[in-house]
Amino acid sequence: RKNRVATLDNIKALTKLEYLSLSCNRMSQIAASGLGVHPHLNFLGLFGNRLESLPSLLDLITPAFPNLKEMIISGNPFAI
């Protein structure tokens, strides 16, 4: 189940995306320049990655996924 995705970027073209699970990867960052805006995304799973900054994550996620209803971020080494 463990994958090797290291960063979330280059998803601008996926405009109808509703569900995105990137749990159990090696993500340590999310690239703002590659996100775009995804008004249809309802769920984002980021469980079990290497994300360290919760405020930075929220600053990126909020404008990119304006209608997000659920995000799972447990299992990351956040420093708040």
Side-chain angles (χ1 to χ4, degrees):
R1 182 160 189 216
K2 292 189 178 198
N3 295 306
R4 296 180 185 212
V5 177
T7 185
L8 175 58
D9 63 1
N10 203 16
I11 63 167
K12 287 181 182 179
L14 305 174
T15 58
K16 296 187 186 221
L17 194 63
E18 295 180 14
Y19 182 99
L20 180 60
S21 178
L22 291 166
S23 297
C24 299
N25 277 284
R26 296 179 180 180
M27 283 197 308
S28 60
Q29 63 181 340
I30 294 178
S33 62
L35 287 181
V37 176
H38 300 276
H40 302 289
L41 193 77
N42 296 309
F43 175 86
L44 179 61
L46 296 171
F47 170 87
N49 280 286
R50 297 176 181 173
L51 299 168
E52 295 180 357
S53 176
L54 183 56
S56 295
L57 174 66
L58 296 177
D59 286 346
L60 292 173
I61 295 301
T62 303
F65 310 122
N67 296 312
L68 191 65
K69 292 180 176 54
E70 183 176 3
M71 178 170 71
I72 299 175
I73 56 173
S74 59
N76 284 283
F78 288 122
I80 299 173

